[in-house]
Amino acid sequence: MISNKLTNNYCMIKYEGVRQGCISSPQLFNICSEQIMRDAFGEFQGGIKVGGQRITNLRYADDTTLVCNISQELMDLLRAVKTTSKERGLLLNTKKTKIMVVDDSHSDADRIFSVDAIEEVASFEFLGLVITAKGNCTQEIKRRLAMARRIVQNMTKLWKSKLLSFLKVRLLRSTAFAVASYGSESWTITSADKMRLDSFEMWCCRGS
């Protein structure tokens, strides 16, 4: 963005941002977002501990997740991120921002959502995965299997072809199985979920 200002017959030009498609844009954005988070966190000592390591945020490009153990910490941190972002020309989109309480009692939920009327959700999609407040993966597994089933059904002609019999297993692995298992490294699987996965695999093998 370029803004012009005429002062005493001189033209003062202020440059902000980069051109769309600029190859340096991702690097510059990462530098800017990293500084924003450093300024926002400051001496913040909250967050949660996973495997002995303190986790305060998860980031991928412009998708940012703030992780706190106390509702007041989350409110303060969210305001700090909003303020520091605005100072550098970035605005927090409250319509796309959600808060989810991962807690069986949800007793603290009413204290959190006074921050700019941000919506509370029981689940949300992050980097292609559905994360739920209960912490289980049953909903995500069902969704993944449904997507993979549609892929298999759309390839009916290939499964019936005798010319491609030697490639069917490879096709399954690179298409349906790849979609079904996306993000499976982070799944918490119950006995019922395991049965669903086994049934899906058997269904694919019979159909192909």
Side-chain angles (χ1 to χ4, degrees):
M1 181 176 68
I2 302 176
S3 57
N4 296 337
K5 182 179 179 182
L6 292 175
T7 306
N8 296 330
N9 297 326
Y10 289 98
C11 179
M12 300 179 63
I13 302 177
K14 181 182 180 182
Y15 293 92
E16 294 181 356
V18 295
R19 289 181 179 272
Q20 185 175 3
C22 177
I23 58 175
S24 62
S25 178
Q27 288 82 1
L28 293 174
F29 179 82
N30 288 337
I31 293 171
C32 181
S33 62
E34 180 66 26
Q35 189 61 48
I36 287 173
M37 298 305 291
R38 289 185 181 185
D39 292 345
F41 278 87
E43 300 299 326
F44 180 73
Q45 296 298 322
I48 62 173
K49 283 192 174 182
V50 178
Q53 184 176 359
R54 187 167 61 91
I55 305 296
T56 58
N57 66 95
L58 302 171
R59 284 178 287 156
Y60 183 84
D62 60 342
D63 291 325
T64 302
T65 301
L66 303 179
V67 184
C68 295
N69 197 33
I70 303 175
S71 60
Q72 186 61 46
E73 287 182 354
L74 180 60
M75 294 168 65
D76 295 341
L77 190 55
L78 188 59
R79 290 193 179 100
V81 171
K82 182 178 180 180
T83 301
T84 53
S85 297
K86 188 175 181 180
E87 291 173 355
R88 288 170 174 77
L90 297 177
L91 299 179
L92 182 68
N93 190 333
T94 55
K95 292 183 179 180
K96 293 183 178 181
T97 303
K98 310 295 179 184
I99 295 180
M100 186 175 71
V101 180
V102 183
D103 181 15
D104 291 338
S105 63
H106 281 64
S107 57
D108 253 354
D110 57 333
R111 294 181 54 197
I112 296 178
F113 308 110
S114 59
V115 184
D116 298 326
I118 294 178
E119 179 188 4
E120 174 189 4
V121 295
S123 65
F124 70 95
E125 186 173 341
F126 181 69
L127 300 182
L129 297 176
V130 172
I131 302 174
T132 64
K134 294 182 179 179
N136 61 48
C137 298
T138 300
Q139 180 180 343
E140 171 63 9
I141 291 173
K142 288 181 178 179
R143 189 176 74 102
R144 284 281 150 194
L145 294 183
M147 294 167 61
R149 284 180 186 274
R150 286 195 295 269
I151 292 175
V152 174
Q153 291 169 348
N154 291 336
M155 298 172 66
T156 303
K157 291 183 178 180
L158 290 177
W159 307 138
K160 292 181 179 180
S161 174
K162 295 181 179 180
L163 298 175
L164 298 175
S165 58
F166 64 98
L167 288 176
K168 289 182 180 180
V169 175
R170 291 185 180 181
L171 285 172
L172 274 175
R173 289 176 178 174
S174 61
T175 56
F177 288 178
V179 171
S181 61
Y182 176 80
S184 58
E185 299 85 355
S186 61
W187 287 352
T188 53
I189 300 178
T190 63
S191 298
D193 293 333
K194 188 176 184 302
M195 290 181 63
R196 289 188 183 94
L197 293 168
D198 290 341
S199 297
F200 168 75
E201 184 178 5
M202 292 300 295
W203 177 79
C204 288
C205 292
R206 287 196 302 267
S208 59

